[in-house]
Amino acid sequence: YEQPNSLLNAIRGRIDYKDNKIKLGGIHDWIQNINKAEILYITACGTSWHAALIGSYIFEEILNIPVKVEYASELRYREIPINSKSAVIAISQSGETADTLSAIKKAKDKNALTMGIVNVVGSSISRETDCGIYMHAGPEIGVASTKAFTIQVVILALLSSFISQKMKIEKSRSNLESIKKVPGLINEILNLSDEIFKIAKEFINVNNFLYLGRGYQFPVALEGALKLKEISYIHAEGYPAAEMKHGPIALIDDKMPVVVIVTKNGFDKIISNIQEVKARGGKVISITTIDSQNLREISDHYVYLSNCSEIDNSITPLLTSIPLQLLAYHIAVLK
Ligand code: BG6
């Protein structure tokens, strides 16, 4: 419930809406080096890795540069062609996760430019990196990070806009306009808590959950599944919706709730994925920014996030992740 305020704190002073300019003091002096990088890596663990994946989609869409997202635990041990022409961003709420710290040390040893997106001021990763952006999320008390996730995504969106402005790419305007609306919209979504509580009650005794999303909603599906696993101890998997047919579909029956995240991008495609789930008797919980009669009818549960349909595609994860956090929270408390 602190999310709207945390978000406001994270963006305060960083967007000048008069001329849509971004200010990121911690990387300002490094922007030439960042722009010179031929490849960008983003490395992290857990929830921070999911934010990294969304960040890579934003960077590739806005900046049109290749971005590789690596689990820090893999990057630190794998042979990987990082060199002085690479930039490596480490994302970490705590700034102390051992794998992420080792990954960034390896990147430094290979002469890459290193940047941190970290919440805890003065933490090891913030000290080890060449430059960085603090999240200003406030303390994350529980093990499962929630507000840290949304803030990591917003910082990555700001960073891509900042770089695009310096590179004179004019593609980021609509995502800045959308970011402005997000705190108010999150407040509205938090009002759906009672509705989500009722859905949660129906599923406290199931053993498995599947989460599906396409495009920007795929990492959201991964994150929704992780939150459920971490706090309710129910097995859950996140999948790209179309990939479901290559395996997980065999597991779907009336004991398998399937959470599907639906936005206007790929809407028709995801409706046909839902029909595939229904054909096998799966229970569909739709989380949607589009109010559609058809979707209502084929869903067993329908959570409509009103006023969100016009938000820029790259920014919708900030909204669609909230009902998934609430679902995991209510199931965990009820159990
Ligand atoms: C895990 C936590 O141990 O560390 C996750 O359970 C978290 O919730 C992950 O996302 C990474 O943490 P950090 O601090 O590096 O973002």
Side-chain angles (χ1 to χ4, degrees):
Y1 293 93
E2 294 170 7
Q3 305 244 21
N5 272 339
S6 298
L7 259 171
L8 285 170
N9 288 339
I11 59 180
R12 182 168 297 125
R14 287 172 165 172
I15 309 178
D16 183 346
Y17 280 112
K18 276 204 296 298
D19 52 5
N20 272 328
K21 284 270 174 295
I22 311 288
K23 287 183 214 146
L24 294 172
I27 62 161
H28 192 269
D29 295 343
W30 293 85
I31 192 69
Q32 301 302 341
N33 307 53
I34 297 167
N35 285 352
K36 272 191 228 140
E38 288 177 0
I39 184 159
L40 181 62
Y41 289 87
I42 315 182
T43 191
C45 301
T47 288
S48 299
W49 188 89
H50 297 152
L53 193 56
I54 296 171
S56 73
Y57 291 9
I58 302 177
F59 275 77
E60 291 191 337
E61 183 183 332
I62 292 187
L63 301 175
N64 201 22
I65 53 166
V67 181
K68 292 199 75 188
V69 179
E70 292 279 341
Y71 285 110
S73 55
E74 290 290 318
L75 191 152
R76 68 181 283 200
Y77 297 115
R78 204 158 72 77
E79 278 308 317
I80 197 161
I82 291 176
N83 55 41
S84 57
K85 294 180 180 140
S86 317
V88 181
I89 302 177
I91 306 181
S92 174
Q93 189 285 124
S94 60
E96 299 296 344
T97 302
D99 284 328
T100 315
L101 183 57
S102 296
I104 214 73
K105 284 182 176 163
K106 175 171 173 173
K108 268 181 94 174
D109 288 346
K110 287 176 169 275
N111 302 315
L113 169 72
T114 57
M115 184 194 307
I117 295 179
V118 168
N119 193 32
V120 178
V121 176
S123 55
S124 304
I125 294 173
S126 71
R127 283 186 274 114
E128 200 65 41
T129 39
D130 295 315
C131 58
I133 306 167
Y134 278 120
M135 291 162 51
H136 300 315
E140 188 71 86
I141 308 291
V143 169
S145 68
T146 47
K147 60 188 180 192
F149 172 74
T150 37
I151 287 162
Q152 286 164 347
V153 174
V154 94
I155 297 279
L156 286 159
L158 292 184
L159 178 59
S160 73
S161 297
F162 183 72
I163 298 173
S164 79
Q165 288 177 351
K166 300 286 170 199
M167 289 168 92
K168 312 239 177 300
I169 302 170
E170 266 308 314
K171 246 177 145 183
S172 59
R173 192 172 293 270
S174 77
N175 89 18
L176 294 182
E177 288 300 326
S178 290
I179 288 172
K180 194 176 175 179
K181 296 182 184 142
V182 164
L185 290 170
I186 291 182
N187 262 326
E188 288 179 33
I189 296 170
L190 291 170
N191 287 333
L192 301 174
S193 183
D194 291 350
E195 200 179 303
I196 294 168
F197 174 80
K198 285 186 201 134
I199 300 171
K201 267 179 35 193
E202 200 178 306
F203 295 107
I204 47 177
N205 293 320
V206 303
N207 295 320
N208 302 289
F209 259 85
L210 189 60
Y211 286 69
L212 302 178
R214 302 180 75 102
Y216 278 100
Q217 306 311 320
F218 160 52
V220 176
L222 292 177
E223 175 58 11
L226 178 64
K227 281 285 95 75
L228 191 72
K229 279 186 273 209
E230 260 188 322
I231 65 171
S232 75
Y233 309 119
I234 294 176
H235 170 247
E237 293 297 333
Y239 252 80
E243 192 64 18
M244 167 193 67
K245 58 183 168 295
H246 302 295
I249 199 160
L251 300 169
I252 296 176
D253 61 16
D254 60 358
K255 291 178 197 63
M256 172 75 100
V258 182
V259 179
V260 190
I261 308 142
V262 183
T263 62
K264 71 178 172 206
N265 288 70
F267 181 81
D268 293 338
K269 295 268 183 203
I270 207 144
I271 295 286
S272 52
N273 300 136
I274 294 175
Q275 281 157 344
E276 289 161 0
V277 172
K278 290 307 295 175
R280 280 151 188 88
K283 290 263 182 293
V284 172
I285 305 165
S286 293
I287 308 287
T288 177
T289 59
I290 302 295
D291 196 11
S292 143
Q293 189 57 27
N294 182 15
L295 180 59
R296 232 175 241 276
E297 281 164 13
I298 57 173
S299 306
D300 296 273
H301 296 282
Y302 185 82
V303 180
Y304 171 49
L305 315 180
S306 54
N307 304 318
C308 297
S309 62
E310 295 310 315
I311 291 296
D312 192 275
N313 192 25
S314 65
I315 302 302
T316 47
L318 299 171
L319 305 167
T320 49
S321 56
I322 306 293
L324 304 188
Q325 292 174 356
L326 286 170
L327 183 65
Y329 166 76
H330 285 308
I331 292 178
V333 171
L334 285 162
K335 280 191 90 179

